[in-house]
Coordinates of all heavy atoms in Angstrom, one line a residue:
Chain A
A693 N 9.1 -4.1 9.3 CA 10.3 -4.9 9.9 C 11.4 -5.0 8.8 O 12.6 -4.7 9.2 CB 9.8 -6.3 10.2
D694 N 11.0 -5.3 7.6 CA 12.1 -5.4 6.6 C 12.6 -4.0 6.2 O 13.8 -3.8 5.9 CB 11.5 -6.0 5.3 CG 11.2 -7.5 5.5 OD1 11.9 -8.1 6.4 OD2 10.4 -8.1 4.8
L695 N 11.7 -3.0 6.2 CA 12.1 -1.6 5.9 C 13.3 -1.2 6.9 O 14.4 -0.8 6.5 CB 10.9 -0.7 6.1 CG 11.0 0.8 5.8 CD1 9.7 1.4 5.4 CD2 11.7 1.6 6.9
V696 N 13.0 -1.4 8.2 CA 14.0 -1.0 9.2 C 15.2 -1.8 9.1 O 16.4 -1.3 9.0 CB 13.4 -1.0 10.6 CG1 14.4 -0.8 11.6 CG2 12.3 0.0 10.7
N697 N 15.1 -3.1 9.1 CA 16.2 -4.0 9.1 C 17.1 -3.9 7.9 O 18.3 -3.8 8.0 CB 15.8 -5.5 9.2 CG 15.5 -5.9 10.7 OD1 16.5 -5.8 11.5 ND2 14.3 -6.3 11.0
F698 N 16.5 -3.8 6.8 CA 17.3 -3.7 5.5 C 18.0 -2.4 5.4 O 19.2 -2.3 5.2 CB 16.4 -3.9 4.3 CG 17.2 -4.0 3.0 CD1 18.0 -5.1 2.7 CD2 17.2 -2.9 2.1 CE1 18.8 -5.1 1.6 CE2 18.0 -3.0 1.0 CZ 18.7 -4.1 0.7
T699 N 17.3 -1.3 5.7 CA 17.9 0.0 5.5 C 19.1 0.3 6.5 O 20.1 0.8 6.2 CB 16.9 1.2 5.6 OG1 16.2 1.0 6.8 CG2 16.0 1.2 4.5
E700 N 18.8 -0.2 7.8 CA 19.9 0.0 8.8 C 21.1 -0.9 8.4 O 22.2 -0.4 8.6 CB 19.3 -0.4 10.2 CG 18.5 0.6 10.8 CD 18.0 0.3 12.2 OE1 18.4 -0.7 12.8 OE2 17.3 1.2 12.8
Y701 N 20.8 -2.1 8.0 CA 21.9 -3.0 7.6 C 22.8 -2.4 6.5 O 24.0 -2.3 6.6 CB 21.3 -4.4 7.1 CG 22.3 -5.3 6.6 CD1 23.3 -5.9 7.4 CD2 22.3 -5.7 5.3 CE1 24.2 -6.8 7.0 CE2 23.2 -6.7 4.8 CZ 24.2 -7.2 5.6 OH 25.1 -8.1 5.1
I702 N 22.1 -1.8 5.5 CA 22.8 -1.2 4.4 C 23.6 0.0 4.8 O 24.8 0.2 4.5 CB 21.9 -0.9 3.2 CG1 21.2 -2.2 2.6 CG2 22.6 -0.2 2.1 CD1 22.2 -3.1 2.0
A703 N 22.9 0.9 5.5 CA 23.5 2.2 6.0 C 24.7 1.9 6.8 O 25.7 2.6 6.6 CB 22.4 3.0 6.7
K704 N 24.6 1.0 7.7 CA 25.8 0.7 8.6 C 26.9 0.1 7.9 O 28.1 0.3 8.2 CB 25.3 -0.2 9.8 CG 24.3 0.4 10.7 CD 24.5 1.9 11.0 CE 23.3 2.5 11.7 NZ 23.3 4.0 11.7
N705 N 26.6 -0.8 6.9 CA 27.7 -1.4 6.1 C 28.4 -0.3 5.2 O 29.6 -0.4 5.0 CB 27.1 -2.5 5.2 CG 27.3 -3.8 5.9 OD1 28.3 -4.4 6.0 ND2 26.1 -4.4 6.4
L706 N 27.6 0.7 4.7 CA 28.2 1.7 3.9 C 29.1 2.6 4.9 O 30.2 3.0 4.5 CB 27.1 2.6 3.3 CG 26.3 1.9 2.2 CD1 25.2 2.9 1.7 CD2 27.1 1.4 1.1
A707 N 28.7 2.8 6.1 CA 29.5 3.6 7.0 C 30.8 2.8 7.3 O 31.9 3.4 7.4 CB 28.7 3.8 8.3
L708 N 30.6 1.5 7.5 CA 31.8 0.7 7.8 C 32.8 0.7 6.7 O 34.0 0.8 6.9 CB 31.3 -0.8 8.0 CG 32.4 -1.8 8.3 CD1 33.2 -1.5 9.6 CD2 31.9 -3.2 8.4
Y709 N 32.3 0.7 5.4 CA 33.2 0.8 4.3 C 34.0 2.0 4.3 O 35.2 2.0 4.1 CB 32.4 0.7 3.0 CG 33.2 0.7 1.7 CD1 33.7 -0.5 1.2 CD2 33.7 1.8 1.1 CE1 34.5 -0.6 0.1 CE2 34.4 1.8 0.0 CZ 34.9 0.6 -0.5 OH 35.7 0.6 -1.6
E710 N 33.4 3.1 4.6 CA 34.1 4.4 4.7 C 35.2 4.4 5.8 O 36.3 4.9 5.6 CB 33.1 5.6 4.9 CG 32.5 6.1 3.7 CD 31.6 7.3 3.9 OE1 32.0 8.2 4.7 OE2 30.5 7.3 3.3
L711 N 34.8 3.8 6.9 CA 35.8 3.8 8.0 C 36.9 2.8 7.7 O 38.1 3.1 8.0 CB 35.1 3.2 9.3 CG 34.1 4.2 10.0 CD1 33.3 3.5 11.0 CD2 34.8 5.4 10.6
A712 N 36.6 1.7 7.0 CA 37.6 0.7 6.7 C 38.5 1.1 5.5 O 39.5 0.5 5.3 CB 37.0 -0.6 6.5
N713 N 38.0 2.0 4.7 CA 38.8 2.4 3.5 C 39.2 3.8 3.5 O 39.1 4.5 2.4 CB 37.9 2.0 2.3 CG 37.8 0.5 2.1 OD1 38.7 -0.1 1.7 ND2 36.7 0.0 2.6
D714 N 39.6 4.3 4.6 CA 40.2 5.7 4.7 C 39.3 6.8 4.2 O 39.8 7.7 3.5 CB 41.5 5.6 4.0 CG 42.5 6.7 4.4 OD1 42.4 7.1 5.6 OD2 43.2 7.3 3.6
G715 N 38.0 6.7 4.4 CA 37.1 7.7 4.0 C 36.6 7.7 2.6 O 35.9 8.6 2.2
T716 N 37.0 6.6 1.9 CA 36.5 6.5 0.5 C 35.0 6.3 0.5 O 34.5 5.4 1.1 CB 37.1 5.3 -0.2 OG1 38.5 5.3 0.0 CG2 36.8 5.3 -1.7
K717 N 34.3 7.2 -0.3 CA 32.8 7.0 -0.4 C 32.5 6.2 -1.6 O 33.1 6.2 -2.6 CB 32.2 8.4 -0.6 CG 32.3 9.2 0.7 CD 31.3 10.4 0.6 CE 31.4 11.0 2.0 NZ 31.3 12.2 2.4
L718 N 31.4 5.4 -1.4 CA 30.9 4.6 -2.6 C 30.0 5.5 -3.4 O 29.2 6.2 -2.9 CB 30.2 3.4 -2.0 CG 31.0 2.3 -1.5 CD1 30.1 1.2 -0.9 CD2 31.9 1.6 -2.6
S719 N 30.1 5.3 -4.8 CA 29.3 6.0 -5.7 C 27.8 5.4 -5.5 O 27.6 4.4 -5.0 CB 29.7 5.8 -7.1 OG 29.6 4.4 -7.5
T720 N 26.9 6.2 -6.0 CA 25.5 5.8 -6.0 C 25.3 4.4 -6.7 O 24.6 3.5 -6.2 CB 24.6 6.8 -6.6 OG1 24.9 8.1 -6.2 CG2 23.1 6.5 -6.3
K721 N 26.0 4.3 -7.8 CA 25.9 3.0 -8.6 C 26.4 1.9 -7.7 O 25.8 0.8 -7.7 CB 26.8 3.2 -9.9 CG 26.7 2.0 -10.8 CD 27.5 2.2 -12.0 CE 27.4 1.0 -12.9 NZ 28.2 1.2 -14.1
A722 N 27.6 2.1 -7.0 CA 28.1 1.1 -6.2 C 27.2 0.7 -5.1 O 27.0 -0.5 -4.7 CB 29.5 1.5 -5.7
Q723 N 26.6 1.7 -4.5 CA 25.7 1.5 -3.4 C 24.5 0.7 -3.8 O 24.0 -0.2 -3.2 CB 25.2 2.8 -2.8 CG 26.3 3.6 -2.0 CD 25.8 4.9 -1.5 OE1 24.6 5.1 -1.2 NE2 26.7 5.8 -1.2
A724 N 24.0 1.1 -5.0 CA 22.8 0.3 -5.6 C 23.1 -1.1 -5.9 O 22.3 -2.0 -5.6 CB 22.3 1.1 -6.8
N725 N 24.3 -1.3 -6.4 CA 24.7 -2.7 -6.7 C 25.0 -3.5 -5.4 O 24.7 -4.7 -5.4 CB 25.9 -2.7 -7.6 CG 25.6 -2.6 -9.1 OD1 25.0 -3.5 -9.7 ND2 25.8 -1.5 -9.6
F726 N 25.5 -2.8 -4.4 CA 25.6 -3.5 -3.1 C 24.3 -4.0 -2.5 O 24.1 -5.1 -2.1 CB 26.3 -2.6 -2.1 CG 26.4 -3.2 -0.7 CD1 27.1 -4.3 -0.5 CD2 25.8 -2.5 0.4 CE1 27.2 -4.9 0.8 CE2 25.9 -3.1 1.6 CZ 26.6 -4.2 1.9
C727 N 23.3 -3.1 -2.6 CA 21.9 -3.4 -2.2 C 21.4 -4.5 -3.0 O 20.8 -5.5 -2.4 CB 21.0 -2.2 -2.3 SG 21.2 -0.9 -1.1
R728 N 21.6 -4.5 -4.3 CA 21.1 -5.6 -5.2 C 21.7 -6.9 -4.8 O 21.0 -7.9 -4.7 CB 21.5 -5.3 -6.6 CG 20.7 -6.1 -7.6 CD 21.4 -6.4 -8.9 NE 22.2 -7.6 -8.9 CZ 21.7 -8.9 -9.1 NH1 20.4 -9.0 -9.3 NH2 22.5 -9.9 -9.0
N729 N 23.0 -6.9 -4.5 CA 23.6 -8.2 -4.1 C 23.0 -8.7 -2.8 O 22.8 -9.9 -2.7 CB 25.1 -8.0 -4.0 CG 25.8 -9.3 -4.1 OD1 25.5 -10.2 -4.9 ND2 26.7 -9.5 -3.2
E730 N 22.8 -7.9 -1.8 CA 22.3 -8.3 -0.6 C 20.9 -8.9 -0.8 O 20.5 -9.9 -0.2 CB 22.2 -7.2 0.4 CG 23.6 -6.7 0.9 CD 24.4 -7.8 1.6 OE1 23.8 -8.6 2.4 OE2 25.6 -7.9 1.3
L731 N 20.1 -8.2 -1.6 CA 18.7 -8.7 -1.9 C 18.7 -10.0 -2.6 O 18.0 -10.9 -2.3 CB 17.9 -7.6 -2.7 CG 17.5 -6.4 -1.9 CD1 16.9 -5.4 -2.9 CD2 16.5 -6.7 -0.8
A732 N 19.7 -10.1 -3.6 CA 19.8 -11.3 -4.4 C 20.2 -12.5 -3.5 O 19.6 -13.7 -3.7 CB 20.7 -11.1 -5.5
V733 N 21.1 -12.3 -2.6 CA 21.5 -13.4 -1.8 C 20.4 -13.8 -0.8 O 20.2 -15.0 -0.6 CB 22.8 -13.0 -1.0 CG1 23.1 -14.0 0.2 CG2 24.0 -12.9 -1.9

Side-chain angles (χ1 to χ4, degrees):
Chain A
D694 290 337
L695 185 156
V696 171
N697 274 302
F698 185 73
T699 52
E700 283 185 0
Y701 176 66
I702 298 295
K704 300 318 169 192
N705 266 286
L706 293 179
L708 179 62
Y709 184 89
E710 276 182 44
L711 288 168
N713 291 282
D714 203 32
T716 311
K717 288 195 174 152
L718 283 173
S719 65
T720 313
K721 183 178 181 183
Q723 293 180 21
N725 276 288
F726 175 63
C727 286
R728 195 208 92 80
N729 198 46
E730 291 301 318
L731 286 171
V733 166

